[in-house]
Amino acid sequence: MPEAFVAPATTLADGRVLFTQPQYVLATKAAIYNPQTQSFTYVADPLHGNQVGQSATRLRDGKVLIAGGGFQPLGSRYKIGGVVATIFNPATDTFNDGGILRVERSDHAAVLLADGRVFICGGQVVEGGGGGFTETPTATAEIYDPATSTSRLTTPMRVARGTPSAVLLVDGRVLIVGGAPSASDPTAEIFDPLSETYTIAPPMIVPRRSTLATHLPNGDVLITGGLGYDSSEAIASAELYVHLTGRFEPNGEMTTPRVRHNAVLLPNGRVFIGGGAGTAEVFDPKTHAFNDLGLTLFLHNSGAIALLPDKSVLIAGGTQFTERFIPPVPIQRIIRRR
C-alpha cells in the first residue's frame, strides 16, 4: 500500500472522538470513542463503504464532512480514491449523503475556511494489484459548501500534490506544503479564498512529501517529518513557517524520524507528536525544542491523535491497541475489543 493515508480523528463538541479510518488498511465502519466509558462504538458509513484515504473536517455546526477516499475492488486489482462525501451528525450518530466531489481523490488536504466552507486540494488516485501500485497526483482544488451540500472546482494549484498538508493561516488564507512530484517543484503555495488565486511561497528548508503541518498559537506553522526525495526513509527535520515574514526557517530535528505521524496542540501551547515510530515527543514553541517523552508506544503508523476533555491525549489506529497519554502519568493501554 502507499506510504500515506493518515487516519483522521475529529473531536466532537461533546468530547467524543470520531475515527473514520479506525484500522490501518480498510474499515467498513467508523469508530466513536467515548472518554467517559473509555470504549468504542462502531457506526457504518454506507456510502463510503471501505474507508481509506478520506478527509474529515469538523464544520461550524458541529457536524463532520467526510470527503473522498475509499477502496474500490476491480477484479484482481483495486483503486483508492473517490468522490463520495458524507456528513456525520453527532446528535444521531448517523452518516448522511453529502453530495459528491468534482474530482476523484484520496490522501488530499481539507481545511475549514473562515466563512464555513471547506477548501479541498490535491491528493491522488492509487491503482494497484499483483504486488505493485501507481499513484497519480492531482493539482485540482475545489470548495465544498455545507449549506448546499455541493462542491465546485476552483483554481488548480501551481503543481500536482499527491500528499499535501494544509492549514488555515491567521489572515484567512491557506498554506499548502509538501507532496510535490519532485524536489525542484514549488515546495509550498498559499491559496487566497477571496480571489481564489495562489501565491508561490518561499521554498521550504527541506523539500518533503507526506509531511505534517501544525498551526501554533502564535500563528506560525510547524512542519515536521515526512519523506525526502532522495530516499524512501522517514526524515526527522523540522521547520517553521513564520507568518509575519512569510518565510520558512529551520527548526532542528525531531528526536525520531517520522512519516505517517500525527500531532495535536496541547492546552499549554506545546505540540504532542506521535505515530510513525514507537515513541512520542513534545515540541515547545517557546524554546523551539523537541523533547522525547521516554515512552514506548505501539507503532501507530497512519494512526490518529486527539485531545480529550480531561487534557489527556488519545492515540489510536495502525494497531489493535489504543493508548492514552495522561500528563505526567505514563501511557495507559486500552485494548480495543470488537
Side-chain angles (χ1 to χ4, degrees), residues 101-103 105 140-143 151-156 196:
L101 303 183
R102 308 312 301 172
V103 174
R105 61 182 86 234
T140 61
E142 48 194 293
I143 297 177
S151 191
R152 65 171 177 83
L153 289 173
T154 185
T155 311
E196 299 193 18

Side-chain angles (χ1 to χ4, degrees), residues 52 62 73 94 124 148 163 175-176 182 208 221 330 332:
V52 64
T94 57
Q124 58 192 355
T148 59
T163 55
L175 173 67
I176 310 162
S182 72
R208 58 187 83 205
V221 180
Q332 171 190 346

